[in-house]
Amino acid sequence: MSKKILSLTDKVWEIADETPSFENLNELIRVILKNRGIEDVEAFKCLSLRNSMPDPFVFVDMEKAVARIVAAIIAGEKIAILGDYDVDGISSTVLFMNFFEYLKVPFTYSIPNRMEEGYGLSIENLKKHKNHLVVAVDCGSSSFDELKYAQEEKIDVVVIDHHKMESIPEAIAIVNPHRPDESVNFKDLCAAAMVFMCIVGINRELRNKGFYKDKDLKEPNLLEYLDLVALATICDVMPLVGINRAFVINGIKTMRRRKNLGIDALISQNKTSDVTSDTIAFSFGPKINAAGRLASADLSVQLLSTKNPIEAKKIAQQLDDLNKERQALERKIIKEAIQQIDEDANFICAHSKKWHVGIVGIVAGRLKETYHKPSLVIAIDENGQGRGSCRSIPQVDISVIINKAIQKGIVASGGGHSMAAGFCIEEDKIPAFIEFLQHEIKYEKSCEELSADCYLAADMAISLETTKEISAIGPFGNGNKHPKFVIPNLIIAQARIVGKNHIRLRLSDLKKGVSLDAISFRSDGTTLGNILLNHKDPIQVLGTLSVSEWNGKKSICFILEDVAKG
């Protein structure tokens, strides 16, 4: 039986299991997994990559892609890897770089500059690699004009991508789980996962052709490549179920061995030496993305591919500095975007000539989280060309909206996923775009809902044994969300603002005589923040458990999302 509660911030909590508390950890884990539709706890904990991964050749055009790349490898043909500037594109690029380097195959790579070139393949870039086999990763599925040019100029292009497709451009091979004619149900793989599948196929064909024997070369251990697959899977917010969960479990194990010097440098920057899905999502990912947002994504490619520990440490510091600059710009743009919000509209659309194009996606995400509305943020350059990012809610498929706007001639180009998309638009068409959005974005408004798995007593919440058992059913992220709990019967013993706008708390359960450290991120100045800083009566809190580490000592911190009467 589930239970619903109206919180002090007017959100509706739905608690899946209303059992007051659990004394038995096994029962707690069973309930958490049952809420996710999983009955076999042990099978879930012991997920096997071997049993989860399909044969690479089940994907349409994979055989063609592998055959063409293998032919280039055996002939010593030059290969150009053309990627994208986000974590998935960078990881995909470095996967091929590492593999080709091991095979001693001549290759080059190119990542477009976000500000100057934008997303995807360009004719200019194809011209530069006229004498190469071009392998496009995390892009190319919608590059009809560019691929037509490649055909006319007899440039062979293999595309390995995962973005949505409505029709198929001409190329040597288009490997994409979203092909309209693809029957295999692996739609939720990121580009790096598809690249890994391709490398597995290439490796098999090279073995069958006697390549390794002829070259007196030991086969590469492809499991060591899974750190990059895990990095991309988490940062591209792929569902962590099935094969993706297997990739991430094994990839995190590889990260902890710290064989990739760039990842090792990122780990060394952290206060804790442990690596979790949260570490990847909230620390590694933003730093790697910061290069493509504010400088050149080449920095991140160099970080993840370098064999020099001194260089890795130097680049990691550069990325950390860029990420701090990004955070400052983000705060400024959010403040200005809020002033443009029409509270009566079903969506948020903000634009400015003063905003950095590399930050608008993050700002759109923050606005969506805060206001629970589809959010579109546009940066306009000096030529009146706007580049926008959208982040949406489950009720609105924003990629469908953008495609309709393209068909009507309002938006010049764009694409993406149901929850996130990008687009290009001329400044003078923004009013028409807003009018179009008013007509197209319609959904039933309701109180924002927060879900929790069950109640948890404070004394159990502060136990490291509890978090250890919970971590065994991770890693957590999209599709396998962090278990969320409601902890009742608390009072706020201490509350103070820390950092830029976070609130740190000490919560006490007077009946059980225990206290719990908690933090509420980005809540100062919000309704929630005002309650936390001023509320005196008993409360119950909703959020997740996190393990923090200081000077080698581990402790529990509760990540507080909302509060209700106790």
Side-chain angles (χ1 to χ4, degrees), residues 90-106:
I90 290 164
S91 299
S92 299
T93 301
V94 176
L95 278 167
F96 267 136
M97 288 173 64
N98 288 346
F99 185 57
F100 293 154
E101 184 176 27
Y102 182 83
L103 300 180
K104 298 180 174 58
V105 172

Side-chain angles (χ1 to χ4, degrees), residues 387-492:
R387 300 256 301 280
S389 274
C390 331
R391 299 294 181 269
S392 193
I393 58 177
Q395 301 100 304
V396 178
D397 187 331
I398 200 66
S399 66
V400 170
I401 303 288
I402 294 300
N403 283 333
K404 281 187 180 180
I406 293 170
Q407 290 165 13
K408 287 185 173 290
I410 300 170
V411 166
S413 61
H417 310 294
S418 61
M419 300 285 281
F423 62 95
C424 296
I425 186 170
E426 293 177 12
E427 182 181 9
D428 60 6
K429 291 192 175 180
I430 291 176
F433 184 48
I434 292 173
E435 186 177 340
F436 168 80
L437 295 174
Q438 288 169 342
H439 181 266
E440 291 292 332
I441 298 182
K442 294 177 181 177
Y443 56 93
E444 189 175 335
K445 292 182 180 179
S446 60
C447 289
E448 184 179 350
E449 292 190 3
L450 298 176
S451 60
D453 286 283
C454 56
Y455 284 95
L456 191 66
D459 54 347
M460 194 175 226
I462 62 173
S463 166
L464 285 170
E465 185 65 25
T466 301
T467 56
K468 182 180 177 183
E469 286 297 314
I470 291 171
S471 67
I473 58 172
F476 301 113
N478 181 26
N480 186 32
K481 298 195 175 193
H482 275 279
K484 289 187 182 180
F485 306 106
V486 172
I487 305 178
N489 308 317
L490 300 172
I491 62 166
I492 300 173

Side-chain angles (χ1 to χ4, degrees), residues 214-454:
D214 293 344
K215 297 285 186 181
D216 194 23
L217 189 64
K218 185 179 177 183
E219 279 191 42
N221 180 3
L222 298 187
L223 289 177
E224 292 184 356
Y225 289 38
L226 289 176
D227 50 2
L228 295 173
V229 179
L231 179 69
T233 298
I234 290 172
C235 294
D236 227 43
V237 202
M238 297 293 104
L240 298 188
V241 294
I243 185 173
N244 280 339
R245 182 166 173 264
F247 278 147
V248 171
I249 288 171
N250 287 276
I252 286 176
K253 288 178 183 176
T254 302
M255 285 187 189
R256 287 171 176 163
R257 291 195 289 271
R258 301 174 80 150
K259 290 199 170 186
N260 184 299
L261 296 181
I263 292 175
D264 177 54
L266 293 174
I267 295 171
S268 297
Q269 283 182 339
N270 278 358
K271 293 178 182 177
T272 173
S273 59
D274 194 19
V275 179
T276 66
S277 55
D278 283 349
T279 314
I280 296 166
F282 302 118
S283 178
F284 298 173
K287 291 175 185 177
I288 293 167
N289 269 330
R293 294 186 188 282
L294 299 181
S296 167
D298 283 345
L299 262 181
S300 294
V301 172
Q302 291 164 24
L303 175 77
L304 296 176
S305 62
T306 185
K307 305 299 184 286
N308 183 326
I310 296 173
E311 182 184 33
K313 186 176 180 181
K314 179 182 176 183
I315 296 172
Q317 185 57 56
Q318 287 178 275
L319 294 182
D320 189 51
D321 292 341
L322 282 170
N323 192 46
K324 287 173 181 172
E325 181 184 347
R326 186 270 305 168
Q327 289 169 330
L329 283 170
E330 177 190 327
R331 288 191 292 271
K332 180 177 181 292
I333 295 173
I334 287 173
K335 188 175 179 181
E336 294 173 0
I338 287 172
Q339 295 172 359
Q340 298 185 34
I341 292 176
D342 177 356
E343 293 184 2
D344 295 327
N346 286 336
F347 61 92
I348 294 168
C349 185
H351 53 92
S352 175
K353 289 184 175 180
K354 298 185 294 181
W355 296 345
H356 195 293
V357 67
I359 311 296
V360 293
I362 302 174
V363 172
R366 296 281 187 240
L367 293 173
K368 187 265 294 186
E369 290 169 10
T370 303
Y371 297 95
H372 199 57
K373 294 180 178 182
S375 299
L376 305 93
V377 183
I378 307 166
I380 305 164
D381 66 20
E382 63 276 9
N383 299 315
Q385 299 299 310
R387 300 256 301 280
S389 274
C390 331
R391 299 294 181 269
S392 193
I393 58 177
Q395 301 100 304
V396 178
D397 187 331
I398 200 66
S399 66
V400 170
I401 303 288
I402 294 300
N403 283 333
K404 281 187 180 180
I406 293 170
Q407 290 165 13
K408 287 185 173 290
I410 300 170
V411 166
S413 61
H417 310 294
S418 61
M419 300 285 281
F423 62 95
C424 296
I425 186 170
E426 293 177 12
E427 182 181 9
D428 60 6
K429 291 192 175 180
I430 291 176
F433 184 48
I434 292 173
E435 186 177 340
F436 168 80
L437 295 174
Q438 288 169 342
H439 181 266
E440 291 292 332
I441 298 182
K442 294 177 181 177
Y443 56 93
E444 189 175 335
K445 292 182 180 179
S446 60
C447 289
E448 184 179 350
E449 292 190 3
L450 298 176
S451 60
D453 286 283
C454 56

Side-chain angles (χ1 to χ4, degrees), residues 501-503 519-530 532:
N501 54 359
H502 314 309
I503 297 177
I519 189 164
S520 177
F521 290 115
R522 294 186 296 275
S523 60
D524 181 35
T526 68
T527 301
L528 175 60
N530 292 336
L532 295 175

